[in-house]
Amino acid sequence: MGFSKDFLWGGAIAANQVEGAFCEDGKGLSVADVAKRVISSQYETQWAISKEQLEEAIRCGDEGNYPKRKGIDFYHTYKNDIALFKEMGFKCLRLSIAWSRLYPNGDETEPNQKGIDFYHHVFRELKQAGIEPIVTLSHYEMPLHLVTHYRGWASRDTIEFFIRFCKTCFREFGCYVAYWLTFNEIDSIIRHPFTTAGILKDNYETEAAYQQDIFQALHHQFVAGSLAVKYAHEIIPASQVGCMITKTTTYPYNCDPENIEIAQHVTMLNLMFSDVQVLGEYPLTAKQLWKTNSIDLIMEEDDLNIIKEYTVDFVSFSYYMSMVACKDIKGMEMVGGNLAVGAKNPYLDTSDWGWQIDPLGLKISCIELYDRYHKPLFIVENGLGAKDVVLEGKIHDSYRIDYFREHFRQMKKAIEAGVEIIGYTSWACIDSVSASTSQMSKRYGFIYVDLDDEGNGSKQRLKKDSFDWYKGVIASNGEML
Ligand code: BGP
């Protein structure tokens, strides 16, 4: 028993990291367009932004180093890029629709036709290429106006604006798109509330008020996500809607029961976000969190019924790394990551950016999720951010091939253990601007893009060694690893 014959092999991208054209054809600014590039260390990110930095970013127009404004120019190169995905044999492409391209400020009542036209072109191109689109409705790119004129997702109004956007997407693109994801890594609101939910720390006088709004915003996203499921099913009866979480596998540092308890707690925190969307109710962990943080959620009468009634059809997730949980990290070597900084696991290698590479952790996570929810899984992000070197027009990225090979072996083992997996989309199938650092030099793709961290370069696309390797994997349906 291996990969099913209709297994969806493909790759993933997000509008704000690839499209560029940040103010073209009526697009409004999004939270991604004000993210500067980080310059230095492995563990530095650009998630946090001050009020001053935000104002400067809004003022600066086309100036300044805001790489997501330019992306890799997918807005103009999508035909060529999709042709390359087709050449690799992609069965699917995960991409997002930039909310601020359809609703530049987020609160308009009518959408921007030029934004709609762009995605019609993209979906048509994918259809002709025989590639199934998997669409994320919210991937770190909410309209900035909703931050400056509302309180981001902490404002109840945002639910209505988002649902308006979702309905437009379902009506316009339902004829092309069957698979939808609601919020990319919804749990990331805890790590970077600005990017995920438009919550600006400088707007709060106390930490307590800031935390209150983070949880309030999360609640609004849960309600909005459930309503998105409802309307997707109503407008596109054959649609399948998934939640999307950042999955990590957490190990206790040793068999000290206190470390085991901490590891369990971290795991429950991780699963809390999928629990709400799959099981339809807040788990114990959430209620404990509200208590310890003195959170007093404001809910409307029907909120919990909506969450209960409109649960997701499948569970999608990103998986990059595992973590080690320990009661006392003093004196320990630390590692970075998209989830949190944690203690180093001596059994694992790390990427150029200090993320721990753990293929077996993927199998463990697949079994954990499937056994808990009994819903099909979709691995929608997994990949290696590395520094690639071009030698006479070639990129020999054997390290990336090794990374994928080992993860695919473990994915196959999970399937053999009985886990239902719909598909796999690597992150990112083409080099793009990093979400956390806005660097171009953190490369994930099978396709190299000639652009550097300063935005200089020809934008030419080059096939890395991993391009042909992945093509072989897809052609053999995961047999030729
Ligand atoms: C996930 C995000 C992606 C992405 C990826 C890699 O958390 O959903 O958008 O970019 O991580 O992270 P980074 O680009 O920071 O290396």
Side-chain angles (χ1 to χ4, degrees):
M1 191 172 94
F3 297 99
S4 64
K5 67 175 187 342
D6 46 6
F7 189 82
L8 289 170
W9 291 99
I13 50 176
N16 74 90
Q17 291 168 262
V18 297
E19 284 179 5
F22 78 105
C23 61
E24 224 169 294
D25 292 334
K27 180 184 170 294
L29 281 182
S30 81
V31 289
D33 297 322
V34 298
K36 270 200 162 155
R37 175 173 64 80
V38 306
I39 313 283
S40 58
S41 90
Q42 229 175 18
Y43 305 145
E44 197 188 339
T45 60
Q46 40 71 8
W47 298 125
I49 185 167
S50 68
K51 205 169 193 171
E52 236 174 33
Q53 287 167 328
L54 178 62
E55 283 161 4
E56 181 198 323
I58 294 171
R59 259 195 323 268
C60 81
D62 215 0
E63 301 302 312
N65 196 346
Y66 300 97
K68 288 174 189 156
R69 295 184 179 192
K70 301 199 171 138
I72 56 164
D73 203 26
F74 182 80
Y75 193 74
H76 300 109
T77 61
Y78 69 91
K79 283 192 181 179
N80 179 46
D81 295 335
I82 290 172
L84 287 166
F85 301 149
K86 182 181 175 188
E87 193 184 325
M88 263 189 283
F90 275 23
K91 311 278 182 217
C92 71
L93 177 74
R94 174 181 174 223
L95 70 169
S96 66
I97 296 178
W99 185 355
S100 67
R101 215 175 268 296
L102 264 55
Y103 289 89
N105 286 331
D107 60 356
E108 296 89 343
T109 48
E110 294 303 320
N112 167 30
Q113 190 55 44
K114 286 195 170 154
I116 291 180
D117 292 346
F118 169 67
Y119 291 105
H120 270 291
H121 296 317
V122 171
F123 291 131
R124 242 177 257 144
E125 200 67 24
L126 286 171
K127 196 177 172 128
Q128 277 165 18
I131 298 174
E132 179 89 41
I134 316 292
V135 173
T136 317
L137 290 156
S138 178
H139 194 132
Y140 302 162
E141 50 209 6
M142 81 181 302
L144 196 63
H145 177 83
L146 297 182
V147 178
T148 51
H149 289 71
Y150 298 80
R151 283 159 33 243
W153 273 99
S155 159
R156 179 106 201 165
D157 295 332
T158 304
I159 300 181
E160 189 190 324
F161 303 145
F162 181 70
I163 290 303
R164 191 176 300 152
F165 160 70
C166 290
K167 284 182 176 170
T168 302
C169 291
F170 300 151
R171 286 192 193 112
E172 289 287 340
F173 313 124
C175 55
Y176 307 106
V177 185
Y179 292 96
W180 298 86
L181 309 181
T182 51
F183 293 93
N184 180 66
E185 299 184 334
I186 193 166
D187 48 285
S188 63
I189 192 169
I190 306 291
R191 305 187 292 280
H192 37 79
F194 176 75
T195 316
T196 308
I199 296 176
L200 192 64
K201 191 163 190 195
D202 285 357
N203 283 344
Y204 298 88
E205 281 179 10
T206 62
E207 179 65 23
Y210 178 52
Q211 290 301 327
Q212 168 70 31
D213 258 9
I214 290 174
F215 282 94
Q216 190 64 53
L218 175 62
H219 176 70
H220 291 156
Q221 291 194 336
F222 281 139
V223 174
S226 302
L227 288 171
V229 173
K230 169 182 155 73
Y231 293 117
H233 288 165
E234 279 176 20
I235 299 170
I236 324 163
S239 62
Q240 300 268 316
V241 189
C243 59
M244 199 297 201
I245 61 159
T246 321
K247 185 69 184 76
T248 190
T249 311
T250 303
Y251 307 119
Y253 180 66
N254 55 23
C255 57
D256 177 343
E258 284 190 48
N259 284 335
I260 301 208
E261 189 196 24
I262 292 172
Q264 185 198 40
H265 179 66
V266 175
T267 301
M268 300 315 274
L269 279 180
N270 189 210
L271 293 171
M272 173 185 107
F273 299 88
S274 38
D275 279 358
V276 177
Q277 299 172 89
V278 184
L279 305 175
E281 52 190 54
Y282 279 108
L284 200 65
T285 317
K287 293 171 187 162
Q288 278 171 346
L289 262 184
W290 298 339
K291 209 167 158 195
T292 38
N293 290 291
S294 309
I295 305 297
D296 186 14
L297 280 194
I298 302 164
M299 295 197 197
E300 287 197 358
E301 210 187 319
D302 228 17
D303 284 3
L304 293 180
N305 294 334
I306 290 171
I307 289 174
K308 184 85 204 161
E309 194 167 350
Y310 305 107
T311 54
V312 292
D313 304 306
F314 64 93
V315 179
S316 85
F317 62 96
S318 61
Y319 175 83
Y320 291 94
M321 55 184 286
S322 59
M323 292 209 313
V324 173
C326 184
K327 62 179 177 186
D328 186 8
I329 53 168
K330 247 186 272 145
M332 284 186 163
E333 195 184 338
M334 304 301 278
V335 287
N338 60 341
L339 221 101
V341 171
K344 176 157 175 49
N345 186 332
Y347 300 97
L348 301 176
D349 288 334
T350 53
S351 75
D352 292 343
W353 268 262
W355 296 21
Q356 300 194 122
I357 302 170
D358 182 9
L360 179 56
L362 174 62
K363 178 189 165 207
I364 296 171
S365 270
C366 286
I367 291 178
E368 186 175 72
L369 288 171
Y370 191 68
D371 212 33
R372 190 176 182 91
Y373 300 130
H374 308 283
K375 293 266 181 195
L377 305 183
F378 204 143
I379 301 166
V380 293
E381 276 190 41
N382 170 241
L384 179 70
K387 289 175 188 152
D388 291 333
V389 179
V390 186
L391 278 175
E392 294 168 354
K394 305 267 182 234
I395 301 99
H396 302 300
D397 57 342
S398 54
Y399 39 89
R400 186 167 287 109
I401 295 173
D402 292 344
Y403 176 99
F404 283 122
R405 182 187 293 115
E406 293 313 312
H407 282 83
F408 294 173
R409 283 195 175 132
Q410 295 300 335
M411 175 164 63
K412 196 171 173 197
K413 283 187 185 170
I415 293 171
E416 283 163 357
V419 176
E420 191 185 342
I421 304 181
I422 305 171
Y424 173 96
T425 57
S426 72
W427 184 271
C429 44
I430 183 166
D431 291 349
S432 57
V433 179
S434 156
S436 58
T437 67
S438 288
Q439 292 166 304
M440 258 319 284
S441 52
K442 191 177 188 186
R443 297 176 182 276
Y444 284 87
F446 303 113
I447 300 163
Y448 183 93
V449 177
D450 179 29
L451 273 176
D452 65 17
D453 281 344
E454 271 70 45
N456 302 314
S458 64
K459 298 181 204 159
Q460 195 198 347
R461 275 55 171 159
L462 296 171
K463 297 173 198 170
K464 302 181 193 177
D465 286 357
S466 55
F467 182 101
D468 285 325
W469 178 81
Y470 194 42
K471 185 176 173 178
V473 170
I474 298 176
S476 65
N477 198 22
E479 289 304 317
M480 255 179 55
L481 295 178

